[in-house]
Amino acid sequence: MVGFKATDVPPTATVKFLGAGTAACIADLITFPLDTAKVRLQIQGEGKGPVRAMASTQYRGVLGTILTMVRTEGPCSLYNGLVAGLQRQMSFASVRIGLYDSVKQFYTKGSEHAGIGSRLLAGSTTGALAVAVAQPTDVVKVRFQAQARAGGGRRYQSTVDAYKTIAREEGFRGLWKGTSPNVARNAIVNCTELVTYDLIKDALLKANLMTDDLPCHFTSAFGAGFCTTVIASPVDVVKTRYMNSALGQYSSAGHCALTMLQKEGPRAFYKGFMPSFLRLGSWNVVMFVTYEQLKRALMAACTSREAPL
């Protein structure tokens, strides 16, 4: 057995809720530069035709984007929006991941055997609920990641300033900009990510290929990350473009997608695919492995505290 040993008592909803948020924050701290590179690649060429976009390309590839940002804006630019990102994960992941098992049990009426339909419903529900809670933090995070320090003034000076400026200039609705594509994205991401992780892990355990420890969690998380990136990338690009757009640039998320298709072609929907995969793959591995270990550690601590002396 690698890592903490599983306890006889299953983790409580509170343990899952706190463990998911903490694990997601740890994963964000490690993979945030990849997420920033993904955002820069996704918004590159926005508002230009395919030829002009190629001619004015500033970033090329994951490593090229990171090196360009470090050279022109300094290494700290890779962590633009980190505070909002951690705020987002603590509220967002706690709901969409931490409540997944509880919602799944609700749909199966407490049955131990959950079908794929119940898993998909649970993933969609917690994903949409998480967006309703954490959307403003996501908007601020994307705006910070998209702004370049070099060649002009910054849009926002701090996280608090970003919240205030967006609310003042765009109204309260500005903080909820892109909610529709984000709900769609997170319903897809949550279903793919959690359900794929669930299914791969169950299959590995049932086939006795692995035991319920770190190698099994690592394999399941990596597979979930790849599947999620392939399915969710188009919605993710539209979400990023729409959230980062100036007031009145797009009338809706659908208009944003149509403009992308007309001006940049269908390949625009997979802009930043490699950093998306590197980020989601590594994020999933760190998050799920940490989450599984945190659940066991917290339950072991609770059990030892309650045990008679």
Side-chain angles (χ1 to χ4, degrees), residues 28-296:
D28 243 31
L29 281 170
I30 294 171
T31 64
F32 205 79
L34 291 170
D35 192 40
T36 303
K38 177 204 74 172
V39 169
R40 291 293 181 91
L41 285 167
Q42 286 178 338
I43 64 170
Q44 184 166 257
E46 188 173 11
K48 303 173 183 177
V51 176
R52 288 181 62 194
M54 288 179 66
S56 62
T57 295
Q58 182 183 0
Y59 305 116
R60 293 185 183 277
V62 186
L63 183 59
T65 301
I66 290 174
L67 291 175
T68 299
M69 289 181 65
V70 170
R71 187 176 66 252
T72 59
E73 303 171 50
C76 290
S77 64
L78 297 172
Y79 283 90
N80 274 350
L82 178 63
V83 174
L86 295 179
Q87 291 172 351
R88 173 182 180 268
Q89 291 299 353
M90 203 63 222
S91 54
F92 185 74
S94 297
V95 174
R96 79 176 185 89
I97 298 170
L99 297 183
Y100 171 73
D101 286 333
S102 299
V103 175
K104 184 172 67 175
Q105 288 176 357
F106 170 78
Y107 282 125
T108 58
K109 295 180 172 58
S111 172
E112 290 293 322
H113 304 287
I116 191 166
S118 300
R119 298 177 200 236
L120 289 172
L121 274 172
S124 299
T125 302
T126 57
L129 185 60
V131 173
V133 172
Q135 180 68 6
T137 62
D138 204 11
V139 171
V140 171
K141 179 185 81 78
V142 167
R143 297 281 183 94
F144 257 102
Q145 288 176 313
Q147 73 177 359
R149 293 186 180 181
R154 300 171 64 192
R155 291 171 78 179
Y156 312 110
Q157 301 304 314
S158 67
T159 305
V160 174
D161 177 56
Y163 285 115
K164 289 180 178 178
T165 302
I166 293 169
R168 184 176 64 251
E169 294 180 355
E170 303 174 41
F172 183 74
R173 291 179 63 183
L175 290 168
W176 298 91
K177 192 171 189 176
T179 299
S180 296
N182 213 12
V183 166
R185 175 192 179 271
N186 281 291
I188 294 169
V189 166
N190 225 35
C191 286
T192 311
E193 193 175 74
L194 295 177
V195 173
T196 305
Y197 179 81
D198 234 2
L199 292 173
I200 293 174
K201 182 181 172 184
D202 284 354
L204 291 172
L205 295 177
K206 286 177 181 177
N208 293 318
L209 295 173
M210 291 182 176
T211 55
D212 191 5
D213 54 17
L214 281 174
C216 176
H217 304 157
F218 179 94
T219 305
S220 304
F222 187 83
F226 178 76
C227 294
T228 304
T229 309
V230 171
I231 293 172
S233 272
V235 183
D236 190 35
V237 175
V238 173
K239 180 211 81 165
T240 300
R241 290 279 185 96
Y242 188 58
M243 279 184 178
N244 187 57
S245 64
L247 187 63
Q249 184 176 353
Y250 303 116
S251 59
S252 65
H255 177 228
C256 177
L258 187 60
T259 303
M260 283 175 58
L261 183 62
Q262 290 173 339
K263 293 189 175 181
E264 301 171 63
R267 291 181 63 181
F269 291 97
Y270 279 92
K271 273 192 171 183
F273 178 83
M274 188 50 66
S276 287
F277 171 59
L278 290 176
R279 194 260 176 181
L280 261 181
S282 57
W283 191 92
N284 269 270
V285 168
V286 176
M287 196 285 298
F288 276 115
V289 168
T290 306
Y291 178 45
E292 296 279 8
Q293 294 302 303
L294 275 175
K295 285 192 295 184
R296 294 178 179 188

